[in-house]
Amino acid sequence: MTTMKISVVIPTYNLGSYVKALLQNLTKQTVDFELWLIDDGSTDKTATQLSQFVKGISDFHAIQLEHRGVSVARNYGLSHATGAGIVFIDGDDLIAPTFIESLSQGMDQGAVMAAVGYEWYRRPATQATSFIELDQVSMFDQVSQHGSEVGGYVWNKAFRATAIKTANLTFDESLHLAEDYLFTASFVAHTPGKYVYLPRVLYTKRNRPNSTLHMTDRSDRRKEDQVFDHIYDLRRFIE
């Protein structure tokens, strides 16, 4: 049983048929939650699918913005979410039925952030049924580098809303890459407390040919390197 109210924020942009699978996954979740579907000015039928999906459900919201990027969409959801825990999901990915419940259970243990295992080129070394506790330093080491088991992504985690506000965090709207790493690493660097991780695959990252990751240029990659230089420097805030 879980007690924490979770708000789920999902940015979308021209996802076509990809978003349908995630919407189906959301209907199979084992706990109730608040939902913010934020469309980033899609020109296909993505926004229509979202609007139809939320009809008649008071805690589900579908908003369409002008096309300004994923960080703007996430920030909109973050500013309107009312849950004590905030979960971000990418609109073209897949989640297990117990994804939200498991993150809520982790937060119920007094954690400032909970994470679960994901599948994307790698899987957790073990498939455990109980959470592992990490301190702030250990979690920062996980989220501040590429290819770690927990990862610096926002989409396999739940963040305590009060901690986000205390750290005065939002997504950097000028970035096209690594904006999620910067958000997560900044959260950990400025948030002492208990961190938990469940090494069980409950999130599947799908590779979409026209995703932002596949549409970047050299200038974006140079900017990403600068972001990681800044992330490494954040470690000085951890005592």
Side-chain angles (χ1 to χ4, degrees), residues 100-178:
I100 297 174
E101 181 180 12
S102 296
L103 287 172
S104 181
Q105 288 173 340
M107 299 297 280
D108 279 342
Q109 295 181 19
V112 294
M113 187 180 87
V116 297
Y118 64 90
E119 183 168 15
W120 189 30
Y121 300 113
R122 64 167 298 158
R123 294 171 63 91
T126 59
Q127 290 285 299
T129 57
S130 58
F131 282 90
I132 299 169
E133 184 174 343
L134 290 83
D135 61 19
Q136 185 183 12
V137 172
S138 298
M139 182 56 80
F140 186 82
D141 289 342
Q142 282 287 319
V143 304
S144 60
Q145 59 179 309
H146 287 294
S148 65
E149 183 163 328
V150 176
Y153 322 106
V154 294
W155 34 253
N156 66 324
K157 299 173 178 65
F159 302 83
R160 192 168 292 273
T162 54
I164 293 175
K165 293 178 181 177
T166 298
N168 195 28
L169 281 181
T170 57
F171 289 88
D172 187 331
E173 297 178 0
S174 70
L175 297 177
H176 300 294
L177 283 178

Side-chain angles (χ1 to χ4, degrees), residues 25 90 92-96 99 117-120 123 155 201-207:
N25 287 172
D90 284 355
D92 50 355
D93 293 338
L94 302 173
I95 55 175
F99 173 72
Y118 64 90
E119 183 168 15
W120 189 30
R123 294 171 63 91
W155 34 253
V201 174
L202 299 178
Y203 192 102
T204 301
K205 187 72 179 169
R206 294 200 288 179
N207 291 312

Side-chain angles (χ1 to χ4, degrees), residues 40-68:
D40 181 34
S42 290
T43 57
D44 64 0
K45 296 182 179 180
T46 299
T48 301
Q49 292 184 72
L50 305 186
S51 297
Q52 292 175 344
F53 180 75
V54 303
K55 282 183 178 178
I57 308 176
S58 59
D59 272 346
F60 283 16
H61 313 274
I63 307 295
Q64 186 170 34
L65 307 176
E66 294 181 0
H67 180 46
R68 295 178 56 198

Side-chain angles (χ1 to χ4, degrees), residues 29-40:
Q29 294 304 298
T30 52
V31 293
D32 294 332
F33 57 96
E34 179 184 59
L35 177 65
W36 289 91
L37 295 164
I38 314 298
D39 186 71
D40 181 34

